[in-house]
Amino acid sequence: MPEMLASIKTQGNKIEIVNQLLLPHTTEYLEINTIEEAHDAIKSMKIRGAPAIASLAALAFAANLSKALEISPVPSFLSSPEALEAHVTPMLDYLYTARPTAVNLGAATRRIARKLQSSKDVGNDAITIAHELVAEARLVSDEDYARNVKMSENGGRWLARIHALQPNERLNVLTVCNTGSLATSGYGTALGLITYLYQTQQLGRAYFTQTAPYHQGSRLTALELQTLEIPSTMICDTMVGSLFQHHKIHAVAVGADRIARNGDTANKIGTYNAAVLAARHNIPFVVVAPISTVDLDITNGSQIPIEHRLPTEACVVRGALYPPVLDAEGRREQAQVMITPPGLDSDKENVYNPSFDVTPAELITAIVTEKGVAQRKEGENVFDLSGIV
């Protein structure tokens, strides 16, 4: 199978991310040298996907602290545990503000903060604590790949089982947005499930929505599926109902940015639409996400903060010029063009542009994590997630 794309590359303290705003026509790696650059990359969506942004934030934090440990004489904030805490806490708080809906980012910063506290509690000095924080932060990224593979396997096996898949049968699966290796530290969540089915010869065809206005589907999921040579078909967001009417679709598989205790799930805008239509056509709707996406502190989806993007982002599209125009280096030239009347983007009241919507638990058939698969009990509209977190 061809090699998967990578959203983040690291070598020691060097961090590079692929600028996803330029994909699929230009592959440009950006070096991330500071906490501020990491924050900007996340906020501007040069990197996106809940697991990936958590990984970048943690890796940037680790690199920042690791570089400080190499300085002689050591910086003053390494003089005592208290000074270290005063230095790193605002840093973690700042990283969390980049994109508040994705709970993985908050889970990563809280994990590092807990390690700081536990290391202080056992009486470690500032240097020891700093080394432990670096190691803990890097684990956020390192652990992501293995759990993605596991949850994809869990979901794929469950899906094949509920359809009583025979040896020569194949599953057709629709997904929304981009949840593959570009959205994670590798393999993916919902797109990982599709990849698992393909690798085990159980996939017929993958379908994916374009996912306006950022077109994560048509730009990123399309690129990943092409790279992996997985049979696939793109549809416009408004074509989901038609697809269900005219083609046999065995499941809808989506990722998640935050899952409430009752199973309500925030994910990329358009997910709720797909869930409603899936319910109408009796198609299983499956959420695939790591344990870190489950937020047990909130009871339901009404408590999930929903990020609203700038009006302009819904009024413009970017891509390569067509017919193709090559620059001096032989790369396709890209442009950003406005598709709405002048001035529409001047006021947020003119454009409704939430980045996420919330799918109620009652529309979700199963929630899959690296620990297993949860289904709603018969007659109930909410999930008991205790067995998979």
Side-chain angles (χ1 to χ4, degrees), residues 75-350:
S76 59
F77 67 81
L78 289 172
S79 61
S80 71
E82 292 71 26
L84 177 60
E85 182 176 23
H87 177 75
V88 303
T89 299
M91 193 184 303
L92 294 172
D93 292 344
Y94 174 65
L95 283 167
Y96 177 63
T97 64
R99 296 202 73 189
T101 300
V103 72
N104 307 60
L105 179 56
T109 57
R110 288 193 298 272
R111 175 177 174 175
I112 296 167
R114 286 195 301 270
K115 172 57 72 173
L116 169 63
Q117 188 60 51
S118 65
S119 192
K120 277 182 61 184
D121 289 345
V122 298
N124 287 328
D125 60 40
I127 299 296
T128 301
I129 295 172
H131 280 290
E132 290 188 355
L133 293 181
V134 170
E136 190 73 14
R138 286 176 175 160
L139 279 176
V140 171
S141 177
D142 293 343
E143 293 170 355
D144 189 44
Y145 182 86
R147 72 174 167 239
N148 290 341
V149 172
K150 185 59 179 175
M151 75 181 77
S152 299
E153 179 182 342
N154 290 342
R157 287 183 172 181
W158 175 84
L159 200 55
R161 186 170 64 252
I162 68 164
H163 282 288
L165 200 62
Q166 299 302 307
N168 293 327
E169 287 186 297
R170 300 290 184 268
L171 297 170
N172 299 321
V173 182
L174 171 71
T175 192
V176 174
C177 196
N178 172 256
T179 57
S181 58
L182 288 173
T184 64
S185 295
Y187 205 81
T189 56
L191 198 57
L193 182 153
I194 289 172
T195 301
Y196 170 81
L197 290 174
Y198 176 70
Q199 289 176 322
T200 54
Q201 291 79 53
Q202 297 177 93
L203 181 74
R205 197 163 195 87
Y207 293 82
F208 60 95
T209 61
Q210 288 184 321
T211 319
Y214 255 85
H215 295 274
Q216 292 97 326
S218 51
R219 294 189 303 108
L220 307 178
T221 297
L223 178 62
E224 290 203 48
L225 290 169
Q226 278 192 350
T227 300
L228 297 176
E229 300 176 357
I230 295 176
S232 60
T233 299
M234 182 186 77
I235 65 170
C236 297
D237 299 5
T238 50
M239 297 174 182
V240 173
S242 176
L243 178 73
F244 292 167
Q245 285 180 324
H246 299 291
H247 293 266
K248 176 63 177 176
I249 304 298
H250 296 86
V252 179
V254 302
D257 286 82
R258 188 177 300 215
I259 302 171
R261 191 193 312 159
N262 72 338
D264 291 351
T265 297
N267 192 50
K268 185 55 56 187
I269 194 72
T271 302
Y272 177 38
N273 301 38
V276 171
L277 288 163
R280 171 67 178 82
H281 291 269
N282 297 312
I283 296 171
F285 189 91
V286 185
V287 174
V288 187
I291 291 169
S292 57
T293 305
V294 179
D295 189 349
L296 296 176
D297 292 333
I298 59 174
T299 57
N300 59 64
S302 67
Q303 298 169 287
I304 299 176
I306 299 298
E307 175 188 9
H308 284 250
R309 305 290 295 182
L310 294 173
T312 304
E313 294 180 5
C315 298
V316 300
V317 292
R318 59 159 55 83
L321 295 176
Y322 186 84
V325 176
L326 303 182
D327 63 17
E329 298 178 0
R331 297 176 302 188
R332 292 188 67 173
E333 290 190 9
Q334 297 199 49
Q336 183 169 275
V337 298
M338 183 161 285
I339 58 173
T340 56
L344 188 68
D345 65 328
S346 63
D347 191 326
K348 65 180 181 181
E349 295 300 319
N350 296 343

Side-chain angles (χ1 to χ4, degrees), residues 10-38:
T10 62
Q11 185 175 8
N13 289 327
K14 183 179 180 180
I15 305 168
E16 291 182 311
I17 64 166
V18 64
N19 184 354
Q20 296 189 28
L21 295 177
L22 300 182
L23 291 175
H25 303 290
T26 299
T27 301
E28 173 190 81
Y29 278 91
L30 303 173
E31 191 165 345
I32 304 297
N33 295 300
T34 66
I35 296 295
E36 291 74 20
E37 288 176 357

